[in-house]
Amino acid sequence: LFSNLSFVLNHIKIAKNSGFIPVVDMENFPTIYNEKERIFNTLNSWEYYFDPLSNFTLEEVYKSKNVIITENNFYSKDEGFFSNITESRDLINILKRDIKLKKNKKKLLNYLKVKMFKKKTLGVHFRGTTYKIAGVVYAATSNQMINKINDILSKDNYEQIFLVTEDLQNFNSIIDYFGNKVIFFKTSKRGNTDLEAWDNYSRSRHRYKLGRDILLETYLLSYCDGYLDIDTNPREIAHGLNLNPNQKRYSIDNGHNKSWPIFNHIKYSWY
């Protein structure tokens, strides 16, 4: 979801610099979050979660003559694009000024913040699944994460841990070790592989719910008193939003995945 958002932010910057009116079309150019049925009376998955960027509808856009449709490329820094939005003050400003949550998401977010964060909270985003075999950066191991959390708790005295992970093994390792100290979304889908976590359609409106849950989780991570993870798109958005200016931030850095003649083929260099 936040890779898509980063893509949109970079193109909003181009549009504003060029005097264009930005419109996001994730109906005719669908994402993995698109449902076949309408959600909130729209087939445009952008508008499941965010308000439109302008007053122009897609129907009006495609009846207009002066329309530019972006390519599906994420360009390089040399071409003015930033996949890590925190490297660009312009993109952070666009995120805060132009990206508005749907009213129902904002209302739910405020409710969850009050309900869940009555104690001093350490947010933990523990990526796994594809990051273990094909991620751009190497995922943290369970032992690394447990040791790091213990170190943080001993120094900064957090009362609870807000855990975000799509990886069932990661989830179980933190729950088994820290027990009732951990709070989490019961609705979030988890699995041992990305296939289980994302492509197992065992619930209605599964694609929409995938986006909804990580959206709310990321905004809540930005509200936490402390925040621990590796380099991910949710971290970039959470840091960029900066919803808690006093948040203490921690990270684990295992370096970037390398291209190995053998391991690159079998995708197991992380192990």
Side-chain angles (χ1 to χ4, degrees), residues 213-224:
D213 289 344
I214 192 58
L215 177 80
L216 294 170
E217 287 172 328
T218 298
Y219 273 69
L220 288 171
L221 285 169
S222 189
Y223 278 118
C224 286

Side-chain angles (χ1 to χ4, degrees), residues 72-252:
N72 192 31
N73 295 330
F74 209 107
Y75 301 104
S76 67
K77 282 186 188 178
D78 293 339
E79 295 167 293
F81 262 53
F82 291 87
S83 54
N84 291 341
I85 67 159
T86 54
E87 296 179 24
S88 168
R89 174 51 57 184
D90 288 340
L91 295 185
I92 291 176
N93 290 338
I94 291 170
L95 172 66
K96 291 181 175 181
R97 184 181 62 238
D98 298 312
I99 306 302
K100 307 295 183 186
L101 288 179
K102 298 286 285 187
K103 187 180 290 185
N104 59 4
K105 298 295 179 294
K106 195 169 184 179
K107 184 177 180 180
L108 179 55
L109 178 65
N110 289 333
Y111 167 78
L112 290 169
K113 182 178 67 168
V114 172
K115 182 179 175 63
M116 297 175 69
F117 295 166
K118 295 177 181 177
K119 301 177 181 179
K120 186 177 180 181
T121 305
L122 173 66
V124 174
H125 185 207
F126 192 4
R127 273 303 311 266
T129 58
T130 49
Y131 265 56
K132 293 179 179 178
I133 57 174
V136 175
V137 298
Y138 282 122
T141 67
S142 291
N143 281 343
Q144 274 187 304
M145 192 62 82
I146 289 169
N147 289 335
K148 185 70 173 180
I149 292 171
N150 272 328
D151 183 52
I152 293 169
L153 294 181
S154 68
K155 293 176 181 177
D156 294 321
N157 200 30
Y158 294 96
E159 299 172 88
Q160 64 181 9
I161 298 163
F162 174 48
L163 176 62
V164 176
T165 181
E166 85 295 353
D167 188 297
L168 188 59
Q169 291 178 333
N170 290 354
F171 177 80
N172 288 333
S173 68
I174 300 300
I175 296 294
D176 289 346
Y177 191 93
F178 293 101
N180 292 333
K181 206 176 187 75
V182 183
I183 60 172
F184 54 89
F185 275 18
K186 292 182 181 179
T187 58
S188 288
K189 199 77 173 70
R190 301 179 182 91
N192 292 315
T193 65
D194 59 333
L195 188 67
E196 291 177 18
W198 290 306
D199 296 336
N200 182 358
Y201 299 96
S202 57
R203 56 182 178 168
S204 66
R205 302 192 299 168
H206 172 68
R207 289 172 177 243
Y208 157 69
K209 290 175 181 176
L210 285 175
R212 175 202 64 189
D213 289 344
I214 192 58
L215 177 80
L216 294 170
E217 287 172 328
T218 298
Y219 273 69
L220 288 171
L221 285 169
S222 189
Y223 278 118
C224 286
D225 301 290
Y227 181 24
L228 165 65
D229 75 349
I230 61 171
D231 185 8
T232 64
N233 284 312
R235 178 170 81 172
E236 284 294 304
I237 299 300
H239 285 192
L241 289 167
N242 199 31
L243 297 175
N244 181 351
N246 297 316
Q247 183 180 82
K248 295 192 72 172
R249 292 167 180 167
Y250 318 87
S251 65
I252 291 175

